[in-house]
Amino acid sequence: MLNRRNFISLSFLTAFSTILKSSFSGALLKADEKPPGDTEHGFPMVISTWKHGIAANEAAWQVLVQGGQSLDAVEQGVRVTEADPDNSSVGVGGFPDRDGDVTLDACIMDPKGKAGSVTFLQHIVHPVSVARLVMEKTPHVMLSGEGALEFALQNGFRKEDLLTDKARKAWEEWKEKSHYKPVINVENHDTIGMLAIDKNGDISGACTTSGLAFKMHGRVGDSPIIGAGLFVDNEVGGAVATGLGELVMKTLGSFLVVEFMRSGYSPREACRLAVDRIADKLPEYDRNQVGYLAVNKAGETGAFAIHKGFNYALKREDVNALLDSGALL
Ligand code: ASP
């Protein structure tokens, strides 16, 4: 459904995309805040947070380009990051909590508004796939800790040691300096959140993380919380969050972004307004980072963060780009 503001913004972007089309050749680009906005042929497409999104998008793209569904695309996409032992913030290789345990959070949403989530899950390389099974096989949305692990094992997942040598070494060094105090700063935020639109125009999203490095044992962030780390409304669009989960949870950020899009704001404006909300309500905002990434039903994308440095990967037939978000500070 197009309201007046949507109509104006889509008309503008259609013109804008015509100008830009010739300059995007499909090569990996580093662009300014404004992504190319081909709103008429905006999908299939996939976006995801941070540089690791490039490889994840590639896997999602393989699903989408073969006519597959956005739900399969986002699951397959983020599994790439979960399986990468060199990535210290997602899945295997994720930095542990302050007790040395790797605990994972993930969630997934489909175009029908169904949702599944796991929190504080240990020993499983692919929490996003467990979250999908929670969505598809149980009457619940969220399973946590021991219960989530039991459910995963019952469904054929293997119990594995997720703590790599690199992560163990980082934890040991951290313990020496930190005296076991949880540390919060603008680094160490690299959750992967992904949103995809398939050829039918249906939107799904996924989000998966090992959370803050060296967090308190038992801490759960925004990433597995529907409406905080991820929200999808297939009539409007989807949003994902990365950064300090406590700020995102207290403002239910991804839901807020989607609601701003529902009111007619572009994805970038919607993300900026959700960052403004954090700045208005939470005095600690300037010492921490949060980034939002969103897509609307037309395939237009946008991102905004508290601090500079947040970027996202966009993959579409004509584009394979790493784009900088806008920033408040
Ligand atoms: N949002 C995640 C959390 O708070 C952290 C991140 O984005 O890396 O757990």
Side-chain angles (χ1 to χ4, degrees):
M1 243 194 307
L2 287 184
N3 62 24
R4 189 171 168 276
R5 199 198 314 251
N6 265 335
F7 177 74
I8 292 168
S9 118
L10 292 184
S11 313
F12 166 74
L13 276 159
T14 305
F16 181 61
S17 73
T18 315
I19 299 163
L20 279 170
K21 240 183 213 161
S22 53
S23 44
F24 288 95
S25 60
L28 200 62
L29 302 167
K30 177 93 172 133
D32 198 15
E33 293 158 0
K34 282 197 182 107
D38 184 354
T39 55
E40 283 184 335
H41 305 95
F43 43 83
M45 59 82 68
V46 55
I47 47 174
S48 53
T49 54
W50 304 110
K51 196 173 169 202
H52 52 212
I54 294 168
N57 282 0
E58 196 51 53
W61 183 251
Q62 292 312 315
V63 176
L64 294 170
V65 85
Q66 287 167 35
Q69 295 182 348
S70 56
L71 182 65
D72 295 320
V74 295
E75 182 190 7
Q76 291 310 315
V78 302
R79 279 174 64 100
V80 170
T81 324
E82 288 180 338
D84 179 0
D86 292 326
N87 185 309
S88 56
S89 51
V90 181
V92 63
F95 281 177
D97 64 17
R98 62 180 185 168
D99 290 4
D101 298 314
V102 180
T103 73
L104 306 178
D105 297 335
C107 71
I108 194 160
M109 273 191 96
D110 82 355
K112 295 196 177 89
K114 287 194 282 170
S117 158
V118 289
T119 76
F120 193 57
L121 176 62
Q122 298 183 57
H123 306 300
I124 301 291
V125 176
H126 291 299
V128 73
S129 297
V130 185
R132 181 169 176 173
L133 283 188
V134 172
M135 174 174 85
E136 290 177 340
K137 284 196 163 184
T138 81
H140 307 304
V141 169
M142 184 182 279
L143 290 180
S144 193
E146 279 299 312
L149 177 60
E150 200 179 301
F151 174 74
L153 297 176
Q154 280 162 1
N155 282 282
F157 287 83
R158 276 210 340 256
K159 197 169 176 177
E160 292 181 51
D161 183 5
L162 305 182
L163 188 65
T164 58
D165 289 344
K166 183 179 142 200
R168 184 192 304 278
K169 204 165 158 258
W171 170 61
E172 276 160 3
E173 278 168 16
W174 170 83
K175 265 195 307 185
E176 273 170 31
K177 279 181 270 156
S178 72
H179 308 295
Y180 197 65
K181 287 200 189 95
V183 180
I184 289 181
N185 55 26
V186 288
E187 292 108 39
N188 293 334
H189 301 302
D190 286 323
T191 295
I192 184 151
M194 176 178 279
L195 299 157
I197 311 184
D198 60 31
K199 73 171 190 337
N200 301 320
D202 288 327
I203 310 170
S204 298
C207 189
T208 177
T209 190
S210 51
L212 292 184
F214 321 127
K215 61 197 174 186
M216 289 176 70
H217 188 65
R219 183 263 187 189
V220 170
D222 61 310
S223 306
I225 297 177
I226 302 300
L230 167 71
F231 196 70
V232 172
D233 181 327
N234 198 39
E235 287 180 19
V236 177
V240 289
T242 181
L244 185 66
E246 280 71 8
L247 301 185
V248 178
M249 285 188 271
K250 284 188 249 183
T251 51
L252 208 56
S254 291
F255 180 73
L256 191 58
V257 172
V258 172
E259 290 309 298
F260 281 130
M261 290 195 290
R262 192 192 306 279
S263 317
Y265 289 101
S266 72
R268 188 178 187 279
E269 287 172 318
C271 291
R272 182 179 55 78
L273 288 167
V275 167
D276 285 350
R277 179 68 59 87
I278 292 176
D280 285 349
K281 300 279 178 190
L282 306 171
E284 68 274 30
Y285 78 95
D286 56 349
R287 300 188 300 279
N288 296 291
Q289 174 67 312
V290 167
Y292 290 116
L293 169 62
V295 65
N296 66 13
K297 191 67 181 162
E300 183 190 356
T301 64
F304 210 84
I306 299 176
H307 295 275
K308 286 197 182 111
F310 174 45
N311 51 27
Y312 71 100
L314 164 67
K315 173 85 180 148
R316 225 172 38 195
E317 199 180 0
D318 54 337
V319 182
N320 185 18
L322 185 67
L323 301 156
D324 290 330
S325 82
L328 184 67
L329 301 177

